[in-house]
Amino acid sequence: MSAAIHWRRDIHRHPEVGFAEFRTASRIAGRFADLGWRVRTGTDAMSAADRLGVPDAESLDAAYERAAADGADERFLPRMRGGLTAVVATVDSGQPGPAIGLRADIDALPIVESVDSGHLPARDGFRSSYDGVMHACGHDGHIGMAVELAERLAERPLTAGSLTIFFQPAEEGGRGARAMVPVGLADRIDLFLAMHVGLGLPTGRYLSSVDGLLANSKLKAVFHGVAAHASIAPHEGRNALLGAATAMLGIHALPRIPGHETRAGVGRISGGTSSNIVPDRAEMLLETRGDLGVVNEHLESRARDVLTGAAAMHGLTVDIETIGGTTTATADPEAVSAIETAAVSAGLQVADGLPVGLASDDATTFMRHVQENGGKATYVGLGATLAGPHHTPAFDFDEAALPLGVDLLESLVRLGQTFA
Amino acid sequence: MSAAIHWRRDIHRHPEVGFAEFRTASRIAGRFADLGWRVRTGTDAMSAADRLGVPDAESLDAAYERAAADGADERFLPRMRGGLTAVVATVDSGQPGPAIGLRADIDALPIVESVDSGHLPARDGFRSSYDGVMHACGHDGHIGMAVELAERLAERPLTAGSLTIFFQPAEEGGRGARAMVPVGLADRIDLFLAMHVGLGLPTGRYLSSVDGLLANSKLKAVFHGVAAHASIAPHEGRNALLGAATAMLGIHALPRIPGHETRAGVGRISGGTSSNIVPDRAEMLLETRGDLGVVNEHLESRARDVLTGAAAMHGLTVDIETIGGTTTATADPEAVSAIETAAVSAGLQVADGLPVGLASDDATTFMRHVQENGGKATYVGLGATLAGPHHTPAFDFDEAALPLGVDLLESLVRLGQTFA
Amino acid sequence: MSAAIHWRRDIHRHPEVGFAEFRTASRIAGRFADLGWRVRTGTDAMSAADRLGVPDAESLDAAYERAAADGADERFLPRMRGGLTAVVATVDSGQPGPAIGLRADIDALPIVESVDSGHLPARDGFRSSYDGVMHACGHDGHIGMAVELAERLAERPLTAGSLTIFFQPAEEGGRGARAMVPVGLADRIDLFLAMHVGLGLPTGRYLSSVDGLLANSKLKAVFHGVAAHASIAPHEGRNALLGAATAMLGIHALPRIPGHETRAGVGRISGGTSSNIVPDRAEMLLETRGDLGVVNEHLESRARDVLTGAAAMHGLTVDIETIGGTTTATADPEAVSAIETAAVSAGLQVADGLPVGLASDDATTFMRHVQENGGKATYVGLGATLAGPHHTPAFDFDEAALPLGVDLLESLVRLGQTFA
Amino acid sequence: MSAAIHWRRDIHRHPEVGFAEFRTASRIAGRFADLGWRVRTGTDAMSAADRLGVPDAESLDAAYERAAADGADERFLPRMRGGLTAVVATVDSGQPGPAIGLRADIDALPIVESVDSGHLPARDGFRSSYDGVMHACGHDGHIGMAVELAERLAERPLTAGSLTIFFQPAEEGGRGARAMVPVGLADRIDLFLAMHVGLGLPTGRYLSSVDGLLANSKLKAVFHGVAAHASIAPHEGRNALLGAATAMLGIHALPRIPGHETRAGVGRISGGTSSNIVPDRAEMLLETRGDLGVVNEHLESRARDVLTGAAAMHGLTVDIETIGGTTTATADPEAVSAIETAAVSAGLQVADGLPVGLASDDATTFMRHVQENGGKATYVGLGATLAGPHHTPAFDFDEAALPLGVDLLESLVRLGQTFA
C-alpha cells in the first residue's frame, strides 16, 4: 500500500471537522518535520481572529482531548489548542527557482458514514470511527498525496526553487483560507495550485482549470423569542421556531437569476426542547451562492431581508452572523500551461468537458492573494471515479487516483525549474 | 428548614428528565424504606413496555452514571437501570379504613434555569447543577411534601387504612402513568388524589378540583429525505427540513374549535448538519390538546394528515411515533368533599375562581383507573405564589406553601378513617 | 302563505351584498310607508362617512341598475344611490310607553347557492337569481318577520309607546351598525333587541340572551411588489403573492388563548394575472375575533405584525385597511325578562343549553349605544331548524319558525306597555 | 406613418388575450384577403380540440361582442366564434421555389398598461382601450410587419416559391401553436422562421438564431375544500386557500439544477369570497421551465407532488390541468445562413452576444414540426430598443425597428429563390 493510500485511510478513520483537526494536523506536522521540512503551526500558520465559524470552546476541548487520546502528535498538538489547526510546511532547494504553493485542505464533514457492505471504507475497516463525522469530500486523499509527495522528495530532493504546502483547516464553509492568508506565507508564491479529487472526473483524467467555483456566503441566524407553557399560556410565548420555519421557506423561494448559477438554502435548523414549551430559540445555518460575486451578494441581501422579516412576523428578534464565505477566482494561463506540461509527464489525459464543478472552495482566497502579489494560480481537478456523490454517506473515491495525483504534483515541482 | 423545603431544594439542584430520574427516585425509595414503608421499584412498580417516549439508551446510561456519581441510593439504583424510575411506597395501619392513593410526579424539564440574581434558586445556591435541565413545574415540591408527610406519619402513625404514594416518572409528556397503572398497585385505591402546586393560585388557597385538564397527544415525527451536496447537486437531494418547516406551519394553522379548548403546536425541530448538505433527516416534536378526548383526536388526526402531506410535497417519507398522551378526567363529589373537609383542618381557603389550569396531566390516567375500579378521585390545586410562569426559566414557587400542603395531606389521611 | 314567508322568499330570490341592498331596502321602505310608518332613508338613516368596507363605485352602480330593473321601489331607490341602504321605520302609538327598537339586518353573502334538489329554495323555485350571492344567514327571514309584524300592527295598532325597526345594511363584516348609530335614531330607545334565526336552536325554542358574540376585526391587506417577466427576469420582480401566502400561514398560526374564544383567518386572496408574470399585487381579506375586546385586539395587533413582516421578507409594501369590526355586548336582565315574558305568550320554550353562537354581530354596536343612553338591550336567538350550516351553500332554515318569531315580537311590543 | 406602425398602433389600442383575438384576427384576415392572399380561418386554420387553456364561454362571448362593436371584420368574425382565432395567409408565385413560413403571434397580456406620460402609447394616444389587457410583448409589432410585408409584395409580387404567414393566437402560455400544427398547413414548409422584436437587442441589430428558448409547462390547479362559517364552525371547513398558499411556497422552493436554466413559480392565486367564510375553492396558475425538456419535466413532476401533498395536508382535493406548454428547438444552419444573407441586404448588424432570451415560445412547436418534415427553421431576434421590460406595464419598443424588420423579411422571401 502506497503512503498516500495508507495515510488516506488512517485520516479517513479519524475525521475531524473544521478547526477541530487536532489529530489530523498534528500528525501532518510531525510527519513533515520528520522528513526535514520547515513546519509552521499555531499562530505562525494562521490568524486566530480571522477565522469564521469557529466551534464553541467545549466542542473544541472535547475534540482536543479525543485527539490526545487517539494518536495526535504531542510535539505539535499543544500549539493547536483552541482551533489553530493550520499547518504550513516548506521545503527549499536552496537554489534559484520558483516558489510553488499547494493548498491541501484537511477537514471532514458532519455526516454519518454509510455502514453498507458495498461501501469500501466499511468493508475494509477504515470507516469513520468518530460518530457523525466523515471525510465525504476527499480531503483525506489530499493529505495522503501530500505525504507521499514529501516522501518522494525526501528520496530525491528538489534541485530548484521551493515547495510550500498549505494544510488548510475548515475548507468546508469557506472559513479557513481567510485565516491563513494574513500571516503572509503565501505572499511570495510564484505558482499556486489547489487540487481536488473527484468532481465527477474519472480516474486517469484531469482538468488544468476548474472553472465555475461559486462565490458563497454562509450565515448563521439565531431567532430569539419568548418561552411559555405551550398549553397554559401559548399566547405569552413568541415561537422562535415559527420564525425559522417561515424564513426557511422564504429563503428557498428566492428567485433564480437567468443565465447565472444561483443557490439559496437552509442546511440546518435546531430549536426548542420539548413539545410543551414554546421554543424561545432557534438556530439556522444557511447559505447563498452565485457564479459572480454580485449574484451572491444579491441573494445574501435578500436572504437577510427574509430573516428579519420572518422574525418581525412572529414577534422575534434575529441575530445574523457570517460564518463563512468564498469568492470567485480565475485561473492564469501560465499556471494552466504548467499543469498541462506536468500532466503529460504524469500520463494523465484531459477530461472531456467540464465537471459539474459548481461548488465553492476558499482556495480562491489563496488564488486571489497570490495573483494580487504577482504570482500565478489555478485550481486543478484530479479524476477519481466516485462510488457516491460528494457530501453524502456513500461517498468514496477510487484510490488508484492517488498515485496519479502524486505523479502530477511531482512532475510539476520538478518541472518548476523551467516555469519561472 | 422543614423536611419538605430541604428535600425540595436538593431535588431542585439535581433535576432529571422523564425516565432518567435515577438519583431522584433511588433517594426517594431509600428515604421511604428507612422510614419503614413498603417500597416497590423497578418492574414491581411499572411496566417497561408501556412507557412512551423513553430516551435512548446512551442518554439513559449517561444519566445513570451521573446519578451514581452524585448521591443516588445504591440500594435501589441498579433496579432502575434502563429507565425504570417509578417508586411506589405504602404504609398500612393494619386497621380497617380507606386505601388512600397520592400521585407525586418527580421529573424535570429540558430548560436552562435562570441565573438572574432575582431568581431565588440562583441566589440561594440551589439552582440546577445539571445544564439544560430544570424543575420548572414544581415537582420538586411534590416530592418534598411527600417526604415530610412520611416523616410526620413516622412520628405519629396512621390508625386506620393505608396510604400509597405513587412517585411517577415522566409526567411531562404524559408518558409515565400509563406504565404504572398496569402493575395493579392502584387497583384497590378508595380515594385517589393528585396535588399540584402553583397553577396561578396564591399561597394559602387551594382548589378541591382542578377542572379542565386537557387530553393531549405528543408525537415525534421524523422526516427522511435524501442527502446531496447543496451546491453541486441540490436537485438530487430531498430536503427533510423543508418537510418539517412546511408541516410546522400547517400544524399551527389547524383550526380552532368554537366552545372548546384546543392546542396544536411544534416544540422542537432538529435537522441537518451544515449549510452545504441537503438535510436527509429532520425530527420534530409536536402536540395537540383538547378539552374533550374527541377534540384532541380530531386535532391529532389532522396533524397526522399535515405531516404525511408535507412529506409527500417534498418527496420525503415520515415516521410518526406517539411519545405521550393524556386523557381527561372528572372529579368525584365524594373525593372533593373529603378534600374540603381536610382543607378546613389545614386552614386553607378556597381560591377565588378557577385557575387557568388548562394544562394536561396524566394523573388523569390514574384517576380514570381508580374510578373504573370503584374508587373516587380528584385533582387538587395547592396555592403557591409564583415568581415566574410554569415551564419557563424564571419559574419558582413560594416555599411557604409546602408545609400547608403537608398539613392538607396529613389531615386527609388522618380523616380518611371517616371517609369510607 | 304568511306575509313573512312570502317576503322571505322574494328577498331570498334577490339577495344583495352589504351596502348594495338597493332592491331590498327600497321595497322595505315602500312597504312600511304604505303601512303608514314613518320611514327614514338615505342620509336620514345613516352616515355615509362612518361606513366601512363600501364596495367600489362600479359595483354599486351595477347593483343599483340591476335593482332598478328588477322591482326596486322607485320612490325610495334614488336616495340610496352610492350605498346608503339603511332604512329606519317607526310607528308611534302617540301614547306614553316604552320606545322599543328592533334591529333587522338585510344583507346577503357572496356564496353560490346550492342547486341540489334537496335544497328547498332550489326545489321550490326561490333559489337566488343573482349568481354568486345568497341569503345564507337568514336575514331574509328577519325581513319577513318585520313585514308581517307591521301588517299585524296595521290591523291592530299599538296602544302604548313606539316601535322603531332598524333595517341595517352590511351586517356581514360588521360594517353597517356603526354608520346608523351616529344619526341619533337609537338615542332614546328604552328596550332594544336584535333577533337572529337559526344558530343551532330548533324550531319552537328560543334564547332570551345569546351570550358570546365575539368582537372582531376585518382587515383588507394589499401587498405591492414589482412585476417582471417570470422567465426572463424573475429576480427583478418582487412577488406580491409570496407575501400574501406567507402572511396567510402566519395569521393562521397565531396562538390560541386559553380560556378564550379566538379566531384568526384569511378568507380571500386574489393576486396576479398569468403564470408568466411575477405578480405585483395581491389582495387579502382576513379577520380576527375574540370573546373579549382585548383578546381580539391582541390578535389583530399580531396579525398586523405578520402582514408587515411578510411584506418585508419579500421586498414588498403592504397597505392594511380596516373594513369592518364589531364589539362585544352584554344583555340587561330587564331586557331578558321582557323577552321571557313575551315568549310565554308566544308559546316558545327555552332552548336547552347555549347555542354555539360564537359568531359576531354588530347589533352589539346598537346594544352598547342604547345601554350608554340608559336603555336596556338583549340579543335573542329564535330557534329554526337548519338544513345546512350558516354561511354555506346548503343553508336553509325551517320557515315554520317565522310566524313564531312574529308572535314573539308582537307579544313583546304589546307587553311593552308594562315594561317601563 | 408606415403601414407597420399604423397597424401596430391600432392593434396596440385594441389588445385581446389568447383565443379572444376576435377583432385582431378578423381584421388581419380581411386585410390579407383584400390584398389577394389565400386566407384560411376557423377550423381550416386550427384544431379546436388541440387548444389548451381556452377561456370560459362567457369571457369568449363578451370578447366577441366587444370585437363586433369595435371594428372587427364581419366577413371573418363569425367563423372565429368560440375562440378559433388563428389565421393562415398564403401568397404563391406559381413558380418553383421554396415554401417559406413565418409565424406571427397576435395575442396580448392581462396587464394594466402604464398611464405614465413618459410611456409613448399613453402620450401619443394609442394606449390600450381595453382595461387590464396590454400588448406588452411586441406582438402588435409582429402583426404590423406582416401587413407591411404583404403590402410590399402586393406592389412587387414574389417571383418564386410561396410565403405562408401563420397568425397564431395564444402564444402567451404556449397554447396556440399546438392547435395550428395538426391542420397540416405547415407540413410542407421548406424554411420556417419566427421573428421576435426586443429581447434586449438594440434597434439595428439582430440575431439569426435565438438560443435558449426554454421548455415549459403551464398548470392550473384548483383546490377544493369545504366551506364553513369562519367563526361558528371553522373546524368543519377545509380551507382551500391554505392549500394554495402552502403549495405556492413549496413550488417556489423547488431546487435549482446546476448548469441548467430552471424556473418554477406561481403567477396567480384566486380563492375565497369574504373573510367570514372558510374558502372552499382556490385556483392557482403556475409554471415550470427548463433549458432541456427533461429539466422541465423534472420540475413539473415535483410541482405536481407539491400540489397533491399540500392538498392532502389540509384535507383538500386538487385538480391539476395542463393549460399550456412549449418544447425546445434548435436552429438549422441552413436557415441561419439564409437569415444572415437577408440581413446583409437589409443593412442589419449582428448583435453583440446573446440576448437574455431565456423565455419560452411555442414557435418551437412549429419549428420541430417543420424539421420533422424535412424543412429548416430558426428563431430570429429583431433588435428594438425597449422603454421597459417585456411583460411589464411600461413595456414599449422603438418603432423604428419595424421597417427594418420588414426589410429583413422582404429580403428573405425574395432571396428565397436561391435558398432551395
Side-chain angles (χ1 to χ4, degrees), chain C residues 141-270:
Chain C
H142 301 167
I143 296 166
M145 289 190 286
V147 170
E148 183 164 326
L149 175 64
E151 295 190 355
R152 293 193 195 176
L153 293 179
E155 287 179 17
R156 187 179 150 220
L158 275 184
T159 57
S162 66
L163 171 62
T164 298
I165 306 184
F166 297 87
F167 292 99
Q168 179 202 315
E171 184 279 323
E172 303 292 351
R175 300 170 291 143
R178 69 179 61 211
M180 293 184 72
V181 160
V183 295
L185 298 175
D187 290 2
R188 298 179 185 226
I189 297 294
D190 298 306
L191 172 62
F192 179 88
L193 80 153
M195 187 163 81
H196 206 297
V197 297
L199 306 182
L201 310 172
T203 304
R205 301 282 176 152
Y206 84 107
L207 273 178
S208 55
S209 169
V210 176
D211 291 333
L213 289 174
L214 305 181
N216 75 21
S217 300
K218 313 258 181 172
L219 304 179
K220 175 175 167 180
V222 182
F223 291 87
H224 300 282
V226 178
H229 192 295
S231 184
I232 295 178
H235 60 297
E236 294 178 359
R238 293 297 179 270
N239 191 324
L241 263 178
L242 270 180
T246 301
M248 180 177 189
L249 294 174
I251 287 163
H252 280 258
L254 288 177
R256 298 121 205 280
I257 303 183
H260 292 280
E261 293 292 328
T262 61
R263 307 283 186 278
V266 172
R268 176 169 166 78
I269 291 180
S270 176

Side-chain angles (χ1 to χ4, degrees), chain C residues 40-395:
Chain C
R40 290 177 175 93
T41 60
T43 51
D44 294 338
M46 72 194 303
S47 156
D50 287 301
R51 297 172 301 172
L52 284 179
V54 181
D56 60 41
E58 191 176 354
S59 304
L60 288 178
D61 286 351
Y64 185 93
E65 297 307 328
R66 185 178 62 185
D70 222 1
D73 191 312
E74 288 294 341
R75 293 174 291 173
F76 293 93
L77 184 61
R79 299 210 60 212
M80 297 173 176
R81 186 179 281 279
L84 299 173
T85 48
V87 177
V88 181
T90 303
V91 63
D92 193 329
S93 66
Q95 300 302 316
I100 297 180
L102 171 67
R103 196 288 307 266
D105 40 4
I106 64 173
D107 55 323
L109 285 154
I111 291 179
V112 179
E113 185 162 10
S114 173
V115 296
D116 200 90
S117 64
H119 182 59
L120 185 74
R123 194 173 65 233
D124 279 15
F126 62 97
R127 181 178 174 274
S128 168
S129 59
Y130 298 159
D131 242 28
V133 190
M134 174 187 176
H135 270 290
C137 199
H139 301 183
D140 47 351
H142 301 167
I143 296 166
M145 289 190 286
V147 170
E148 183 164 326
L149 175 64
E151 295 190 355
R152 293 193 195 176
L153 293 179
E155 287 179 17
R156 187 179 150 220
L158 275 184
T159 57
S162 66
L163 171 62
T164 298
I165 306 184
F166 297 87
F167 292 99
Q168 179 202 315
E171 184 279 323
E172 303 292 351
R175 300 170 291 143
R178 69 179 61 211
M180 293 184 72
V181 160
V183 295
L185 298 175
D187 290 2
R188 298 179 185 226
I189 297 294
D190 298 306
L191 172 62
F192 179 88
L193 80 153
M195 187 163 81
H196 206 297
V197 297
L199 306 182
L201 310 172
T203 304
R205 301 282 176 152
Y206 84 107
L207 273 178
S208 55
S209 169
V210 176
D211 291 333
L213 289 174
L214 305 181
N216 75 21
S217 300
K218 313 258 181 172
L219 304 179
K220 175 175 167 180
V222 182
F223 291 87
H224 300 282
V226 178
H229 192 295
S231 184
I232 295 178
H235 60 297
E236 294 178 359
R238 293 297 179 270
N239 191 324
L241 263 178
L242 270 180
T246 301
M248 180 177 189
L249 294 174
I251 287 163
H252 280 258
L254 288 177
R256 298 121 205 280
I257 303 183
H260 292 280
E261 293 292 328
T262 61
R263 307 283 186 278
V266 172
R268 176 169 166 78
I269 291 180
S270 176
T273 53
S274 71
S275 69
N276 60 359
I277 304 172
V278 175
D280 63 353
R281 188 176 189 283
E283 185 176 311
M284 172 188 281
L285 301 182
L286 64 137
E287 60 178 46
T288 58
R289 304 196 192 217
D291 55 0
L292 297 178
V294 291
V295 166
N296 182 54
E297 283 159 21
H298 172 85
L299 290 168
E300 179 187 339
S301 165
R302 294 204 58 185
R304 287 174 178 269
D305 288 348
V306 168
L307 292 166
T308 52
M313 277 179 70
H314 295 287
L316 312 168
T317 58
V318 60
D319 295 328
I320 308 174
E321 180 191 354
T322 297
I323 58 168
T326 64
T327 183
T328 56
T330 307
D332 298 295
E334 297 88 343
V336 166
S337 169
I339 297 295
E340 287 170 353
T341 304
V344 170
S345 300
L348 287 164
Q349 307 289 319
V350 174
D352 297 330
L354 285 174
V356 185
L358 296 162
S360 303
D361 192 319
D362 64 354
T364 51
T365 300
F366 279 109
M367 289 171 70
R368 289 206 168 197
H369 182 77
V370 166
Q371 290 167 338
E372 285 161 10
N373 285 277
K376 307 299 178 188
T378 189
Y379 190 101
V380 176
L382 176 69
T385 305
L386 300 184
H390 288 269
H391 288 209
T392 66
F395 175 81

